[in-house]
PDB file of all heavy atoms in Angstrom:
ATOM      1  N   VAL A 429    -122.496 120.834  -5.995  1.00 97.00           N
ATOM      2  CA  VAL A 429    -123.486 120.619  -4.829  1.00 97.00           C
ATOM      3  C   VAL A 429    -124.609 121.620  -5.181  1.00 97.00           C
ATOM      4  O   VAL A 429    -125.818 120.987  -4.998  1.00 97.00           O
ATOM      5  CB  VAL A 429    -122.859 120.841  -3.392  1.00 97.00           C
ATOM      6  CG1 VAL A 429    -123.858 120.841  -2.333  1.00 97.00           C
ATOM      7  CG2 VAL A 429    -121.757 119.867  -3.188  1.00 97.00           C
ATOM      8  N   VAL A 430    -124.523 122.813  -5.441  1.00 96.00           N
ATOM      9  CA  VAL A 430    -125.538 123.691  -5.670  1.00 96.00           C
ATOM     10  C   VAL A 430    -126.356 123.157  -6.954  1.00 96.00           C
ATOM     11  O   VAL A 430    -127.620 123.316  -6.938  1.00 96.00           O
ATOM     12  CB  VAL A 430    -125.100 125.168  -6.027  1.00 96.00           C
ATOM     13  CG1 VAL A 430    -126.116 126.037  -6.519  1.00 96.00           C
ATOM     14  CG2 VAL A 430    -124.523 125.737  -4.613  1.00 96.00           C
ATOM     15  N   ASN A 431    -125.661 122.699  -7.928  1.00 96.00           N
ATOM     16  CA  ASN A 431    -126.356 122.231  -9.206  1.00 96.00           C
ATOM     17  C   ASN A 431    -127.309 121.042  -8.888  1.00 96.00           C
ATOM     18  O   ASN A 431    -128.305 120.943  -9.397  1.00 96.00           O
ATOM     19  CB  ASN A 431    -125.335 121.786 -10.169  1.00 96.00           C
ATOM     20  CG  ASN A 431    -124.792 122.958 -10.998  1.00 96.00           C
ATOM     21  OD1 ASN A 431    -125.151 124.020 -10.917  1.00 96.00           O
ATOM     22  ND2 ASN A 431    -123.700 122.710 -11.835  1.00 96.00           N
ATOM     23  N   VAL A 432    -126.797 120.138  -7.889  1.00 97.00           N
ATOM     24  CA  VAL A 432    -127.659 118.992  -7.488  1.00 97.00           C
ATOM     25  C   VAL A 432    -128.871 119.599  -6.782  1.00 97.00           C
ATOM     26  O   VAL A 432    -130.095 119.090  -6.999  1.00 97.00           O
ATOM     27  CB  VAL A 432    -126.907 118.047  -6.537  1.00 97.00           C
ATOM     28  CG1 VAL A 432    -127.792 116.951  -5.978  1.00 97.00           C
ATOM     29  CG2 VAL A 432    -125.930 117.237  -7.394  1.00 97.00           C
ATOM     30  N   ALA A 433    -128.631 120.559  -5.818  1.00 95.00           N
ATOM     31  CA  ALA A 433    -129.795 121.170  -5.016  1.00 95.00           C
ATOM     32  C   ALA A 433    -130.706 121.795  -6.034  1.00 95.00           C
ATOM     33  O   ALA A 433    -131.908 121.778  -5.819  1.00 95.00           O
ATOM     34  CB  ALA A 433    -129.197 122.112  -4.001  1.00 95.00           C
ATOM     35  N   GLN A 434    -130.151 122.497  -7.072  1.00 93.00           N
ATOM     36  CA  GLN A 434    -130.939 123.321  -7.940  1.00 93.00           C
ATOM     37  C   GLN A 434    -131.767 122.250  -8.801  1.00 93.00           C
ATOM     38  O   GLN A 434    -133.000 122.438  -8.971  1.00 93.00           O
ATOM     39  CB  GLN A 434    -130.089 124.004  -8.873  1.00 93.00           C
ATOM     40  CG  GLN A 434    -130.769 124.938  -9.920  1.00 93.00           C
ATOM     41  CD  GLN A 434    -129.852 125.811 -10.683  1.00 93.00           C
ATOM     42  OE1 GLN A 434    -129.698 127.004 -10.440  1.00 93.00           O
ATOM     43  NE2 GLN A 434    -129.155 125.200 -11.697  1.00 93.00           N
ATOM     44  N   LEU A 435    -131.215 121.181  -9.220  1.00 95.00           N
ATOM     45  CA  LEU A 435    -131.960 120.149 -10.071  1.00 95.00           C
ATOM     46  C   LEU A 435    -133.149 119.561  -9.181  1.00 95.00           C
ATOM     47  O   LEU A 435    -134.163 119.518  -9.724  1.00 95.00           O
ATOM     48  CB  LEU A 435    -130.943 118.997 -10.414  1.00 95.00           C
ATOM     49  CG  LEU A 435    -131.560 117.887 -11.270  1.00 95.00           C
ATOM     50  CD1 LEU A 435    -132.267 118.450 -12.549  1.00 95.00           C
ATOM     51  CD2 LEU A 435    -130.510 116.837 -11.447  1.00 95.00           C
ATOM     52  N   THR A 436    -132.816 119.216  -8.006  1.00 94.00           N
ATOM     53  CA  THR A 436    -133.810 118.497  -7.164  1.00 94.00           C
ATOM     54  C   THR A 436    -134.997 119.520  -6.867  1.00 94.00           C
ATOM     55  O   THR A 436    -136.048 119.284  -6.764  1.00 94.00           O
ATOM     56  CB  THR A 436    -133.240 117.884  -5.915  1.00 94.00           C
ATOM     57  OG1 THR A 436    -132.503 118.769  -5.152  1.00 94.00           O
ATOM     58  CG2 THR A 436    -132.312 116.684  -6.288  1.00 94.00           C
ATOM     59  N   SER A 437    -134.510 120.798  -6.447  1.00 91.00           N
ATOM     60  CA  SER A 437    -135.462 121.721  -6.050  1.00 91.00           C
ATOM     61  C   SER A 437    -136.440 122.094  -7.201  1.00 91.00           C
ATOM     62  O   SER A 437    -137.685 122.240  -7.118  1.00 91.00           O
ATOM     63  CB  SER A 437    -134.777 122.942  -5.516  1.00 91.00           C
ATOM     64  OG  SER A 437    -135.687 123.790  -5.013  1.00 91.00           O
ATOM     65  N   ALA A 438    -135.846 122.325  -8.521  1.00 89.00           N
ATOM     66  CA  ALA A 438    -136.614 122.625  -9.643  1.00 89.00           C
ATOM     67  C   ALA A 438    -137.514 121.490 -10.057  1.00 89.00           C
ATOM     68  O   ALA A 438    -138.665 121.736 -10.424  1.00 89.00           O
ATOM     69  CB  ALA A 438    -135.681 123.101 -10.739  1.00 89.00           C
ATOM     70  N   CYS A 439    -137.033 120.341  -9.861  1.00 92.00           N
ATOM     71  CA  CYS A 439    -137.843 119.181 -10.317  1.00 92.00           C
ATOM     72  C   CYS A 439    -139.046 119.068  -9.378  1.00 92.00           C
ATOM     73  O   CYS A 439    -140.210 118.682  -9.786  1.00 92.00           O
ATOM     74  CB  CYS A 439    -137.013 117.856 -10.334  1.00 92.00           C
ATOM     75  SG  CYS A 439    -136.062 117.752 -11.685  1.00 92.00           S
ATOM     76  N   HIS A 440    -138.811 119.362  -8.044  1.00 90.00           N
ATOM     77  CA  HIS A 440    -139.941 119.205  -7.100  1.00 90.00           C
ATOM     78  C   HIS A 440    -140.976 120.432  -7.468  1.00 90.00           C
ATOM     79  O   HIS A 440    -142.107 120.137  -7.413  1.00 90.00           O
ATOM     80  CB  HIS A 440    -139.296 119.463  -5.685  1.00 90.00           C
ATOM     81  CG  HIS A 440    -140.229 119.397  -4.670  1.00 90.00           C
ATOM     82  ND1 HIS A 440    -140.951 120.563  -4.113  1.00 90.00           N
ATOM     83  CD2 HIS A 440    -140.881 118.418  -4.064  1.00 90.00           C
ATOM     84  CE1 HIS A 440    -141.741 120.157  -3.151  1.00 90.00           C
ATOM     85  NE2 HIS A 440    -141.857 118.830  -3.097  1.00 90.00           N
ATOM     86  N   ALA A 441    -140.414 121.641  -7.790  1.00 87.00           N
ATOM     87  CA  ALA A 441    -141.391 122.636  -8.145  1.00 87.00           C
ATOM     88  C   ALA A 441    -142.278 122.321  -9.371  1.00 87.00           C
ATOM     89  O   ALA A 441    -143.400 122.585  -9.410  1.00 87.00           O
ATOM     90  CB  ALA A 441    -140.709 123.974  -8.401  1.00 87.00           C
ATOM     91  N   ILE A 442    -141.555 121.645 -10.421  1.00 89.00           N
ATOM     92  CA  ILE A 442    -142.301 121.283 -11.532  1.00 89.00           C
ATOM     93  C   ILE A 442    -143.308 120.282 -11.218  1.00 89.00           C
ATOM     94  O   ILE A 442    -144.406 120.223 -11.738  1.00 89.00           O
ATOM     95  CB  ILE A 442    -141.299 120.809 -12.696  1.00 89.00           C
ATOM     96  CG1 ILE A 442    -140.394 121.937 -13.146  1.00 89.00           C
ATOM     97  CG2 ILE A 442    -141.963 120.134 -13.805  1.00 89.00           C
ATOM     98  CD1 ILE A 442    -139.137 121.508 -13.943  1.00 89.00           C
ATOM     99  N   ALA A 443    -142.881 119.230 -10.409  1.00 92.00           N
ATOM    100  CA  ALA A 443    -143.884 118.121 -10.095  1.00 92.00           C
ATOM    101  C   ALA A 443    -145.006 118.732  -9.337  1.00 92.00           C
ATOM    102  O   ALA A 443    -146.176 118.284  -9.550  1.00 92.00           O
ATOM    103  CB  ALA A 443    -143.048 117.181  -9.218  1.00 92.00           C
ATOM    104  N   GLN A 444    -144.836 119.641  -8.356  1.00 87.00           N
ATOM    105  CA  GLN A 444    -145.916 120.318  -7.696  1.00 87.00           C
ATOM    106  C   GLN A 444    -146.813 120.906  -8.594  1.00 87.00           C
ATOM    107  O   GLN A 444    -148.079 120.872  -8.468  1.00 87.00           O
ATOM    108  CB  GLN A 444    -145.331 121.298  -6.678  1.00 87.00           C
ATOM    109  CG  GLN A 444    -145.045 120.757  -5.252  1.00 87.00           C
ATOM    110  CD  GLN A 444    -144.595 121.897  -4.413  1.00 87.00           C
ATOM    111  OE1 GLN A 444    -143.926 122.843  -4.757  1.00 87.00           O
ATOM    112  NE2 GLN A 444    -145.253 121.774  -3.155  1.00 87.00           N
ATOM    113  N   ARG A 445    -146.329 121.818  -9.561  1.00 86.00           N
ATOM    114  CA  ARG A 445    -147.197 122.428 -10.523  1.00 86.00           C
ATOM    115  C   ARG A 445    -147.947 121.402 -11.347  1.00 86.00           C
ATOM    116  O   ARG A 445    -149.237 121.649 -11.516  1.00 86.00           O
ATOM    117  CB  ARG A 445    -146.371 123.431 -11.339  1.00 86.00           C
ATOM    118  CG  ARG A 445    -147.237 124.198 -12.303  1.00 86.00           C
ATOM    119  CD  ARG A 445    -146.370 124.899 -13.431  1.00 86.00           C
ATOM    120  NE  ARG A 445    -147.138 125.441 -14.405  1.00 86.00           N
ATOM    121  CZ  ARG A 445    -147.724 124.853 -15.419  1.00 86.00           C
ATOM    122  NH1 ARG A 445    -147.465 123.524 -15.642  1.00 86.00           N
ATOM    123  NH2 ARG A 445    -148.521 125.389 -16.407  1.00 86.00           N
ATOM    124  N   ASP A 446    -147.416 120.399 -11.905  1.00 88.00           N
ATOM    125  CA  ASP A 446    -147.985 119.434 -12.656  1.00 88.00           C
ATOM    126  C   ASP A 446    -149.109 118.781 -11.895  1.00 88.00           C
ATOM    127  O   ASP A 446    -150.179 118.485 -12.342  1.00 88.00           O
ATOM    128  CB  ASP A 446    -147.026 118.347 -13.181  1.00 88.00           C
ATOM    129  CG  ASP A 446    -146.060 118.860 -14.256  1.00 88.00           C
ATOM    130  OD1 ASP A 446    -146.291 119.991 -14.724  1.00 88.00           O
ATOM    131  OD2 ASP A 446    -145.107 118.175 -14.622  1.00 88.00           O
ATOM    132  N   ALA A 447    -148.882 118.526 -10.590  1.00 90.00           N
ATOM    133  CA  ALA A 447    -149.875 117.858  -9.853  1.00 90.00           C
ATOM    134  C   ALA A 447    -151.092 118.835  -9.506  1.00 90.00           C
ATOM    135  O   ALA A 447    -152.281 118.354  -9.549  1.00 90.00           O
ATOM    136  CB  ALA A 447    -149.316 117.440  -8.397  1.00 90.00           C
ATOM    137  N   GLN A 448    -150.724 120.104  -9.406  1.00 84.00           N
ATOM    138  CA  GLN A 448    -151.884 121.188  -9.307  1.00 84.00           C
ATOM    139  C   GLN A 448    -152.691 121.045 -10.431  1.00 84.00           C
ATOM    140  O   GLN A 448    -153.996 121.215 -10.439  1.00 84.00           O
ATOM    141  CB  GLN A 448    -151.323 122.478  -8.823  1.00 84.00           C
ATOM    142  CG  GLN A 448    -150.704 122.543  -7.526  1.00 84.00           C
ATOM    143  CD  GLN A 448    -150.088 123.939  -7.361  1.00 84.00           C
ATOM    144  OE1 GLN A 448    -149.735 124.504  -8.194  1.00 84.00           O
ATOM    145  NE2 GLN A 448    -149.716 124.090  -6.005  1.00 84.00           N
ATOM    146  N   VAL A 449    -152.019 121.234 -11.622  1.00 85.00           N
ATOM    147  CA  VAL A 449    -152.778 121.222 -12.958  1.00 85.00           C
ATOM    148  C   VAL A 449    -153.579 120.021 -13.152  1.00 85.00           C
ATOM    149  O   VAL A 449    -154.792 120.141 -13.451  1.00 85.00           O
ATOM    150  CB  VAL A 449    -151.671 121.569 -14.142  1.00 85.00           C
ATOM    151  CG1 VAL A 449    -152.457 121.327 -15.484  1.00 85.00           C
ATOM    152  CG2 VAL A 449    -151.179 122.830 -14.048  1.00 85.00           C
ATOM    153  N   TRP A 450    -153.072 118.825 -12.820  1.00 86.00           N
ATOM    154  CA  TRP A 450    -153.727 117.571 -12.970  1.00 86.00           C
ATOM    155  C   TRP A 450    -154.974 117.586 -12.076  1.00 86.00           C
ATOM    156  O   TRP A 450    -156.091 117.230 -12.482  1.00 86.00           O
ATOM    157  CB  TRP A 450    -152.879 116.415 -12.804  1.00 86.00           C
ATOM    158  CG  TRP A 450    -153.494 114.961 -13.118  1.00 86.00           C
ATOM    159  CD1 TRP A 450    -153.648 114.559 -14.380  1.00 86.00           C
ATOM    160  CD2 TRP A 450    -154.138 114.225 -12.189  1.00 86.00           C
ATOM    161  NE1 TRP A 450    -154.360 113.319 -14.320  1.00 86.00           N
ATOM    162  CE2 TRP A 450    -154.615 113.134 -12.960  1.00 86.00           C
ATOM    163  CE3 TRP A 450    -154.337 114.231 -10.845  1.00 86.00           C
ATOM    164  CZ2 TRP A 450    -155.357 112.088 -12.411  1.00 86.00           C
ATOM    165  CZ3 TRP A 450    -155.043 113.248 -10.275  1.00 86.00           C
ATOM    166  CH2 TRP A 450    -155.571 112.144 -11.195  1.00 86.00           C
ATOM    167  N   ASN A 451    -154.700 117.944 -10.812  1.00 86.00           N
ATOM    168  CA  ASN A 451    -155.871 117.919  -9.784  1.00 86.00           C
ATOM    169  C   ASN A 451    -156.980 118.832 -10.149  1.00 86.00           C
ATOM    170  O   ASN A 451    -158.096 118.452  -9.999  1.00 86.00           O
ATOM    171  CB  ASN A 451    -155.255 118.179  -8.360  1.00 86.00           C
ATOM    172  CG  ASN A 451    -154.540 117.124  -7.770  1.00 86.00           C
ATOM    173  OD1 ASN A 451    -154.563 115.934  -8.246  1.00 86.00           O
ATOM    174  ND2 ASN A 451    -153.565 117.406  -6.871  1.00 86.00           N
ATOM    175  N   ALA A 452    -156.580 119.881 -10.673  1.00 84.00           N
ATOM    176  CA  ALA A 452    -157.667 120.897 -11.181  1.00 84.00           C
ATOM    177  C   ALA A 452    -158.331 120.382 -12.267  1.00 84.00           C
ATOM    178  O   ALA A 452    -159.574 120.668 -12.397  1.00 84.00           O
ATOM    179  CB  ALA A 452    -156.859 122.294 -11.516  1.00 84.00           C
TER     180      ALA A 452
END
Side-chain angles (χ1 to χ4, degrees):
V429 171
V430 169
N431 282 349
V432 169
Q434 180 173 263
L435 177 63
T436 58
S437 185
C439 286
H440 184 262
I442 293 167
Q444 269 188 318
R445 181 189 172 278
D446 287 351
Q448 289 170 347
V449 169
W450 187 84
N451 288 337

